[in-house]
Amino acid sequence: MNNKLVVSQQNLTEGRALAILRRYWIGVAFVYLTIWWLGYRYLAASWQPITANQWSMGAGLMGLIVLGLLWQGLRQNRPSEDEPLWSTLGYGNGLSLARGLLLTLFTGFLFLPRPPGVLAWLPALLLTADRLLDLFDGYVARITGRESKLGAMLDIEFDGLDVLVAVLLGIQYGMLPAWYLVLAVSRQLFVAGMWLRRRAGKPNRDLPPSDNRRPIAGFQTGFLCVMLWPILPPALSNVAAILFAIPLCFSFGRDWLVVSHLIDPAATHYQQGRRWIKRIFEEWLPLLARVSIMLLVSTALWREWPDFPHWQRYFSQSGVNMAPPLLAALAFSFLTLAMLVLCGLSARVAALLLLLLVILDMQINGFLWSDNGLLLISTVIILHLGSGPLSLWRPEEHFLHTRFGKR
């Protein structure tokens, strides 16, 4: 009798918590509707009413999907199945829902012509803000003690939708090749493959830990944000797409071979091969890339020094007055970043900043495989693989391989 009373009280408590959560859902839906309406009014005034109508339909559909995911996941607002249901969403889930709102606004630009003028930056800014919030929603949940199954579910679903919409928009704008869509759904294909194996009665092996999955995923989403910049030429983004696709294909390919029992990560021959591969890609290749970056940057600056004729012509045509001291400062920044990469002083951060200057050089001189093309490849290698041995200081490695708020 007492057990029945306890169960009844627990059900009553959970029912009350769920009712409160559903009232929160109504509030979230109201906020989404208000921002969606304001976005529509803004685009109707600054773009075209008919285009704003089409944007509102795409954004509205994604908003319904996001709200549907939240409604279905309310019962998972708990740390585990045997824990009681929380009656509040928490700050971490609040940031996740802000991500969902940004995703909603971003999706509206699908199947529309690229916005004119300053509005052309809006898709990239929305996606970038979404990805920045992704860095902190889990962190906030961890430091506030509110990690939940709901938060994990929203994070996974929003990550997948972010990548899918970004790739579709990149293909639509001509910034990505059509085959990149396969990479956008690679995680879904991976999960579907595991499910098919289970249906066929075949076992799936657990994945071993990896130092590279998190950085590869992070740089992939960073690339998708930059790819949407309206100043990038399609030729550059299509070449960069290949460079960023290679490590992602390698990561998923290796993981699939492990899951499907085609390779055994505990086998001696696999461990030996892995050590050789890591030596090539994490030691020799980064060293070669660091030296190449220094040589290529030095050569490029030597050609321009001291008058910077190509740079002056580019900035004057763009309507920007760049005095010789400013051009010299820009050249000094170029050389300093190359030196930081060569010495292994926070090389990934330096390579990320250097990448912006490489893009600028491609705007000025065009894309040249033997020049800034090779510099682009070397910079991407450092971004993905790090600076390797003989590095003086690598503080960024801790943040790349550790989730925020977790030791």
Side-chain angles (χ1 to χ4, degrees):
M1 189 68 177
N2 289 336
N3 290 337
K4 290 183 179 180
L5 182 60
V6 170
V7 171
S8 177
Q9 290 175 341
Q10 289 176 343
N11 290 338
L12 182 61
T13 302
E14 181 151 333
R16 287 174 178 170
L18 186 59
I20 295 172
L21 286 173
R22 285 174 175 169
R23 287 198 290 271
Y24 275 110
W25 183 91
I26 293 173
V28 171
F30 177 76
V31 171
Y32 272 43
L33 180 62
T34 302
I35 301 299
W36 170 82
W37 172 251
L38 292 174
Y40 164 72
R41 298 300 302 172
Y42 172 73
L43 290 178
S46 56
W47 202 355
Q48 294 178 357
I50 187 171
T51 309
N53 289 335
Q54 294 172 330
W55 175 90
S56 67
M57 289 187 287
L61 178 60
M62 180 55 74
L64 291 175
I65 292 173
V66 170
L67 291 172
L69 289 171
L70 176 61
W71 180 271
Q72 292 295 324
L74 289 178
R75 293 183 183 274
Q76 300 181 49
N77 190 36
R78 62 183 92 213
S80 61
E81 288 291 349
D82 55 352
E83 297 282 344
L85 186 68
W86 287 325
S87 60
T88 57
L89 292 172
Y91 296 114
N93 285 333
L95 289 178
S96 295
L97 293 173
R99 283 187 60 201
L101 178 58
L102 291 168
L103 171 62
T104 295
L105 302 176
F106 174 63
T107 304
F109 292 96
L110 269 179
F111 312 118
L112 295 180
R114 197 158 200 169
V118 177
L119 282 179
W121 285 91
L122 197 52
L125 292 176
L126 288 170
L127 180 61
T128 302
D130 181 336
R131 301 316 304 165
L132 288 174
L133 285 180
D134 185 40
L135 292 174
F136 295 102
D137 55 359
Y139 168 71
V140 170
R142 282 186 286 276
I143 64 173
T144 56
R146 290 297 301 266
E147 287 185 276
S148 65
K149 296 181 63 182
L150 171 62
M153 182 273 291
L154 292 177
D155 189 58
I156 291 173
E157 296 295 339
F158 291 169
D159 282 350
L161 290 171
D162 279 345
V163 172
L164 178 60
V165 175
V167 170
L168 285 173
L169 200 58
I171 294 172
Q172 176 183 322
Y173 290 165
M175 305 301 289
L176 289 176
W179 55 261
Y180 215 88
L181 187 59
V182 177
L183 296 182
V185 295
S186 54
R187 180 186 169 276
Q188 290 82 351
L189 292 175
F190 194 92
V191 173
M194 294 177 65
W195 178 81
L196 289 173
R197 284 182 58 83
R198 285 194 297 270
R199 286 292 303 269
K202 298 178 180 179
N204 292 318
R205 178 183 280 125
D206 292 335
L207 286 175
S210 172
D211 294 334
N212 297 318
R213 290 193 193 101
R214 182 177 173 82
I216 287 174
F219 286 122
Q220 185 67 211
T221 55
F223 162 67
L224 292 178
C225 293
V226 175
M227 171 271 305
L228 290 175
W229 290 2
I231 61 172
L232 291 186
L236 170 58
S237 64
N238 277 267
V239 171
I242 298 173
L243 299 178
F244 280 88
I246 291 173
L248 190 65
C249 291
F250 177 82
S251 179
F252 272 105
R254 178 205 55 199
D255 287 350
W256 178 251
L257 293 176
V258 171
V259 163
S260 57
H261 289 259
L262 293 176
I263 59 175
D264 181 4
T268 303
H269 65 275
Y270 172 81
Q271 293 293 335
Q272 292 174 344
R274 185 171 182 271
R275 281 194 293 270
W276 272 104
I277 291 174
K278 287 178 72 67
R279 185 173 298 172
I280 293 171
F281 285 93
E282 296 182 10
E283 296 182 15
W284 301 344
L285 193 57
L287 278 174
L288 178 62
R290 286 158 60 187
V291 173
S292 297
I293 286 172
M294 191 68 230
L295 291 175
L296 290 165
V297 169
S298 300
T299 303
L301 294 179
W302 180 262
R303 285 199 307 265
E304 291 289 325
W305 188 268
D307 298 324
F308 306 100
H310 294 91
W311 293 13
Q312 284 185 342
R313 188 182 309 115
Y314 172 79
F315 286 115
S316 62
Q317 291 175 352
S318 303
V320 179
N321 183 20
M322 290 287 285
L326 292 178
L327 292 174
L330 182 61
F332 180 75
S333 300
F334 222 132
L335 187 61
T336 300
L337 291 172
M339 286 290 295
L340 290 174
V341 173
L342 179 65
C343 297
L345 283 166
S346 195
R348 289 204 210 228
V349 177
L352 182 61
L353 298 175
L354 183 62
L355 185 61
L356 301 179
L357 295 180
V358 173
I359 293 171
L360 175 62
D361 184 74
M362 290 180 173
Q363 291 283 336
I364 295 173
N365 297 305
F367 181 79
L368 304 169
W369 270 112
S370 60
D371 193 337
N372 49 33
L374 186 56
L375 183 57
L376 173 67
I377 293 172
S378 301
T379 305
V380 171
I381 287 173
I382 298 299
L383 280 175
H384 276 97
L385 302 179
S387 54
L390 304 178
S391 297
L392 298 180
W393 189 47
R394 300 190 293 178
E396 71 274 18
E397 298 300 325
H398 170 75
F399 297 101
L400 281 172
H401 300 293
T402 306
R403 299 172 71 186
F404 287 178
K406 197 167 189 175
R407 296 185 180 182

